[in-house]
Each structure stands twice: as C-alpha cells, then as structure tokens.
Amino acid sequence: MAAGGGGVADPLSPAGVPCAFSPLNQAYFALASADGQLRVWETANNRLHQEYVPSAHLSGTCTCLAWAPARLQAKESPQRKKRKSEAIGTSNQIDLLALGTAVGSILLYSTVKGELHSKLINGGHDNKVNCIQWHQDNGCLYSCSDDKYIVEWNTQTCKVKCKWKGDNSSVSSLCISPDGKMLLSAGRTIKLWVLETKEIYRHFTGHATPVSSLTFTTIRPPNESQPFDGITGLYFLSGAVHDRLLNVWQVRSENREKNAVMSFTVTDEPVYIDLTLSENKEEPVKLAVVCRDGQVHLFEHILNGYCKKPLTSNCTIQIATPGKGKKSTPKPIPILAAGFCSDKMSLLLVYGNWFQPIIERVALSSKEPHMCLIRDISNCWAPKVEPAITKVRTPVMNSEAKVLVPGVPGHHAAIKPAPPQTEEVESKRKLGENEVSIEERLGALDIDTKKEKVDLPQTNSFPVLLTQGLESNDFEMLNKVLQTRNLNLIKRTVLRMPLHAVIPLLQELTKRLQGHPNSAVLMVQWLKCVLTVHASYLSTLPDLVPQLGTLYQLMESRVKTFQKLSHLHGKLILLITQVTASEKTKEMTCPAQKAKLVYEEESSEEESDDEIAEKDSDDNWDEDEEENESEKDEDVDEENEEEEEDAEERDEENGEDRDVASEKELNGDSDLDPENESEEE
C-alpha cells in the first residue's frame, strides 16, 4: 500500500528517507536513517521499539525497505516458541522486514527476535537495490536494481528462484498486482510482466525521468459487467523523480492505449505515497502524497476512465514551528511519511528529523483546503531512549556541540610535521635526566594558534563556507567565497550548495549589486550561474515575485541606462569611423598610371574640314544602311543619296567661309567691326 521513498534520487538534493508502516493496523513504523541504522518506532506512544545497526552500515547503507505481508506472519507465528521478554500478542506482529542496500545485498531482519534473520547475496544483484516487494501468498521476494535485472528470491532457502533482465537501463520500482499473478516494473518505461512465464503482457510509456514509485489503486475494475481476468481494467499509479505529476494508468485488454488516463498534480517530487484501495466503482480512492518539500497532499477521486485536466489536491497539510517572539520566525517542519488509519478518516503523520521523528494522528477535515499545524519540536532534538528498550547508548546533544556528518566536504584536519625540538626531548630521556616539564612538552608540540596561517579554503569546501556564511551572516566568510573570479569554481559551488540557501544567496547578491561597480561585476557572474542552475527550483516557489522584486527593479533600471549608452556608443563609433576614413583618403597618394593608348589630335590647319565632313557622312551612311537594310526599298535609298549630295555641297560652302575667316584672323582683321563685315558682304 505504501511506497517508500528509497528510489532513485538526485545526488545534489536530500533523498526521501526509506521508511514504511507495518501492515497490521500500522502499529510500527520502520525507518532506515542516513547513518545506516534501522529504527522501529511504536506509533501509539511514539517510542523507539528497536534499533539495529548492520555490520556494513557505512559502506552498504539501506536504500529501500518493505514489511512482510500479514498473511505470511499468520502462517509462521504458531510454529515459533514465545520468549518471556516478548509481549502478549506478538503472534499478530509482523516478523520479517526486508532491507535493500547500496551494494546489492538484501537483509531480512526479524522484529520479533530483534536480530538479523538471513542475508540474500548469492547470485543476486551487483549494484544498488532500488525497490523490494513481497508476494502476498507464496512468501517470495522480488527486487530490482541499477544492474538492469529483476530477481525472484525464495526467502526460505535464501536462494535465487529466477533472474531476468527488466530494462535496458536501471529498474527503479516494482509492484505486484492484487491477485499476485502480474508484476509491474519501471525504469523510464513501465512494463507489466506475467510472473509465471516472465513475459511482457503490456507496455506503458512511463515518465521522462526514472519512476520512483508504483502502486495499484483498485482491486476490481469499475465495469463489472465483463468477466474479470484478474488484471484488465485495473488502475495503477506512478510517480517519478523530479516530476510534479502522479500519473494514473489503466490496464486495457487491447494494446492500443499506452498513455495515462489521468494525473494528479503536486508541488514537488513525491517521496512517499499511501492510499486506500477502491473496492467498487462508487467508492473514491483516497491518496496521501508526501512531497520532497515536506508537504502532504490529499486527493479523493472516483476512478471512472479518462480525465484530460490534471487534478489538484483537496487538502494540503503543512507543519511549522510557532515562531514565538519578534526575532524567531516560523520555520517549516518536514513531513517524512503519512499513512491512512483503518477508519480512513484520520492520518498518521511522521515529521521532524530522521533521528527522532514524531508520530502523530491527525483527524481529516473535508472542508479545509489547507491545514497548517503548529508544533514546537525544540525539545525533541535530544533523543530520549529508555535503557530497558535498547542497549545502545546515544549521547545527549548539547546546544554548544557541533555535529559533523560523515561525508561533508571541507572538514580535514591539517597534518603538521613533527618539529625538531622533539629530538632534544627524546635525548634527555635517554640520558636519564629529570622528567620533562609540561611547558617543554607543549613547546615541543608547538601549539600556538596565533602563528598558524589561515589558508585559503579548498575547492570542495566552498559550498560549506557559503552556506555557513549565509546562515551566520559572516561578512568575511562571504567575501572569501563571493570574490572569486574562477567561473568553474563558481559553477561547482552553486551546483553543490543546498536548495534552502538559494534565496538567501540571491538576497545577498542583490545587496552587493547595489554597491561598488567593481563588486557588481563579480556578483553578476554569481547571479547568472544561480539563475541558470536553480531555475527549476525557483519556478516552484509561490512567493518568488515579492522575494526577487528588488533584484528585478535593479536589473530593469540598469538595462534602461544601458540602452541609452548603447545608442550613444553606436553614434560615436559611426562618427569615428567616418573621420578616420576621410583622413586615410587624404593621406593616400595617387599611384603613377601609364596610359594604354595615347591619341594625338592634329591641328585644324593640317586637316581640312572637308575630310572630316566626308568621314562623318560616310559613318552616318553606314549606320543608316545597317539599320534599314531589310525595311527600305530602292526608292528610299535614292532619296537618301540625293539628300546627302546636297549636304556635301553645303559643307563645302561652309568650309570655304571658315577658311576665309581664319585667314582674316591671321592677318589681324577684326570680325567685331561691323563696317568691315558690311564691306565684305
């Protein structure tokens, strides 16, 4: 019924903690924490029931877990003798709890004995186990892994019954049909297998990212008129990594329809899903989805075929701190898991931190679309464990103590070489002199914090420094990180920083952008990287506009002035290029060119005008003859000859007149004198 959140997750974001409620009345809640330990809590009184630390809890951490179904326990419990320490009614308790690990092994833990029951390793997986499913009837166990295979285990003999390739990429989730004859598997596509033959019965398109959860939502099909074959007409649900839609699919008898019939929309990636199964067509399916952002969305819908529009939640539940006083602001408390109680009208919520979660029963109200529960968990961080329950003593955490989680980069102690003074101390001891004083010993160790130089932070410690600087508002620490000019270092830091520090970083960058222009140049690189890397996260925030309003106005004002500057810059470039071009043309000297053809014109005295006129008339004749050769007849040619003869006579007369005039000019006679002109006439 419940899908644990131990599937595929982004390495840069915190994964959903593998956890599950026990099948019988949800009496217990099992949680595999980030430190590799298994803890089982009693839901009635919020008390730690058992704590188990696997031998390889650091190298092979738990990635998924599943309780054995109630029917198996009912068969096995009468054969086992009860211990004195066991409470009355342990026969109703679930015995086995299967744990999948990051190295491919599967552990079977007995909650009755409080110890490891068996280990499944031979012939199984050689990579991370993503999901475990128990068969409700025959006691078999099904597991899938990143090694692309699905394995069917016999839990009695701890051996592999069958192993087959489930996908071309890693298989991330499994689910067994209500009748136990079919198996759903999912990587990027969803496949329905016949368990008896291990053949594919149906294909479904799946999601764009790996599917993290699969679960059937109906026991019988809504249309009961047709004979039921155990699978056709049933609905199942799928959620995927980085996907804010839960798709609902229907198993069709024909193989045409491969797409989802409807979908539920949530605010973030689903990490834990619980639902009430629909037994008839009039009963709605109730769905509780825990998202990565720590909210719970409740849906109630009657599955009746295709629905085009994505369905929104009927109710959203959030938990926050009270935030007493002026300085303290309310902070959200993440919800780890949610499960419907047997009455289907109340919900078991598990919230807080994985080390000491709080389990609370909340009554559901159909009228309220949003519930915000105010809870004070300040006193719950120190674990209160009774010594009678467990032998493992856990230290009480003090407010001044700093806890370093394994794997956080940047926490490396500097190894100092031994100073030369130690040789003198050893030589004193050899010679049998007096005991060395404490002062000399401390001097030999060279403990002096003032003399130590503060080295620049390493590359892998930048995200830690940035987060600490933003939380403590340390100006010097932020300067160390934000004043770097290395673009690769900026990108790596932004990629590795936690999501809750994105908005404080943007606010710090906005503050620095309003300062000196030199600092603004550096801050723009950080701003560009943050907005590109974390765009998908920022788009999910409902109050993003008021939070980034100042930054938007700042960018808008700078862009306006930039437009005017660019216009002025363009005009200046145009003027400068024209000025430089004109100066270049003045400086350029004309190259010496030799003429290819020289034509010397003869004087008018040597060449007579008669010859020029004859040449002109001959040329005109040739042109006219070429143009009108095909159009004009012989009569027209004769007319042209007569006209040309008259023209030649006129030219000869004019030529004689010009010769006379030239002779007068040579003799000094003036043409301007009217008397001489009349005499000649």
Side-chain angles (χ1 to χ4, degrees), residues 308-460:
K308 188 177 181 181
K309 194 175 180 181
L311 302 170
T312 54
S313 59
N314 299 341
C315 179
T316 304
I317 302 175
Q318 285 179 295
I319 302 177
T321 56
K324 296 174 184 176
K326 294 181 180 178
K327 292 184 179 179
S328 61
T329 55
K331 293 182 180 179
I333 301 170
I335 299 173
L336 303 176
F340 284 102
C341 298
S342 54
D343 59 354
K344 298 184 181 180
M345 295 305 295
S346 54
L347 202 65
L348 270 177
L349 291 180
V350 183
Y351 58 90
N353 59 332
W354 51 262
F355 189 78
Q356 182 81 19
I358 298 166
I359 304 169
E360 183 182 340
R361 185 169 178 164
V362 178
L364 300 176
S365 174
S366 58
K367 295 180 181 179
E368 295 182 19
H370 189 88
M371 292 171 64
C372 187
L373 308 175
I374 307 299
R375 299 289 182 267
D376 189 7
I377 61 165
S378 57
N379 300 324
C380 301
W381 292 95
K384 299 172 184 176
V385 182
E386 297 177 19
I389 297 171
T390 175
K391 294 178 182 178
V392 180
R393 288 193 177 184
T394 51
V396 179
M397 292 195 300
N398 191 6
S399 60
E400 297 176 359
K402 293 182 180 179
V403 180
L404 299 181
V405 182
V408 176
H411 300 285
H412 303 293
I415 300 167
K416 294 178 67 177
Q421 294 177 5
T422 52
E423 294 174 3
E424 297 175 8
V425 175
E426 288 175 2
S427 62
K428 281 183 182 179
R429 286 183 180 178
K430 286 177 184 177
L431 294 168
E433 293 180 6
N434 296 331
E435 189 67 29
V436 184
S437 65
I438 294 173
E439 188 179 352
E440 288 177 349
R441 288 182 185 178
L442 290 174
L445 290 172
D446 193 20
I447 296 175
D448 188 6
T449 53
K450 292 180 182 178
K451 291 180 182 178
E452 290 179 6
K453 292 182 180 179
V454 179
D455 295 330
L456 286 171
Q458 297 175 0
T459 305
N460 57 358

Side-chain angles (χ1 to χ4, degrees), residues 545-581:
V545 176
Q547 284 184 338
L548 300 184
T550 312
L551 178 62
Y552 180 77
Q553 290 172 1
L554 188 67
M555 290 165 67
E556 195 69 25
S557 62
R558 296 210 175 191
V559 166
K560 281 181 182 176
T561 53
F562 176 73
Q563 193 175 4
K564 293 175 184 176
L565 284 171
S566 62
H567 279 303
L568 180 62
H569 182 65
K571 289 176 182 176
L572 287 172
I573 283 179
L574 190 64
L575 286 170
I576 290 165
T577 49
Q578 285 181 347
V579 169
T580 50

Side-chain angles (χ1 to χ4, degrees), residues 540-665:
T540 60
L541 298 177
D543 54 345
L544 184 66
V545 176
Q547 284 184 338
L548 300 184
T550 312
L551 178 62
Y552 180 77
Q553 290 172 1
L554 188 67
M555 290 165 67
E556 195 69 25
S557 62
R558 296 210 175 191
V559 166
K560 281 181 182 176
T561 53
F562 176 73
Q563 193 175 4
K564 293 175 184 176
L565 284 171
S566 62
H567 279 303
L568 180 62
H569 182 65
K571 289 176 182 176
L572 287 172
I573 283 179
L574 190 64
L575 286 170
I576 290 165
T577 49
Q578 285 181 347
V579 169
T580 50
S582 61
E583 286 176 355
K584 281 181 182 177
T585 50
K586 287 177 183 177
E587 292 173 3
M588 283 174 67
T589 55
C590 293
Q593 294 181 354
K594 287 186 177 182
K596 292 182 179 179
L597 179 67
V598 179
Y599 176 71
E600 293 181 359
E601 190 179 355
E602 293 180 279
S603 64
S604 56
E605 293 177 359
E606 293 175 358
E607 188 179 4
S608 64
D609 291 332
D610 299 340
E611 291 175 0
I612 295 167
E614 284 175 7
K615 284 178 184 176
D616 290 341
S617 60
D618 290 338
D619 292 341
N620 292 335
W621 160 250
D622 293 338
E623 288 174 4
D624 292 338
E625 192 176 26
E626 286 173 6
E627 290 175 0
N628 305 322
E629 188 175 1
S630 60
E631 296 176 2
K632 295 181 181 180
D633 51 8
E634 295 175 358
D635 298 332
V636 179
D637 292 338
E638 289 176 2
E639 289 176 4
N640 288 340
E641 287 176 4
E642 289 174 0
E643 286 176 2
E644 286 184 0
E645 286 176 3
D646 295 337
E648 285 177 4
E649 289 175 3
R650 281 192 223 106
D651 290 339
E652 286 176 2
E653 290 174 2
N654 292 334
E656 289 174 2
D657 293 340
R658 280 195 293 272
D659 293 338
V660 172
S662 59
E663 285 176 6
K664 285 181 180 178
E665 285 177 4

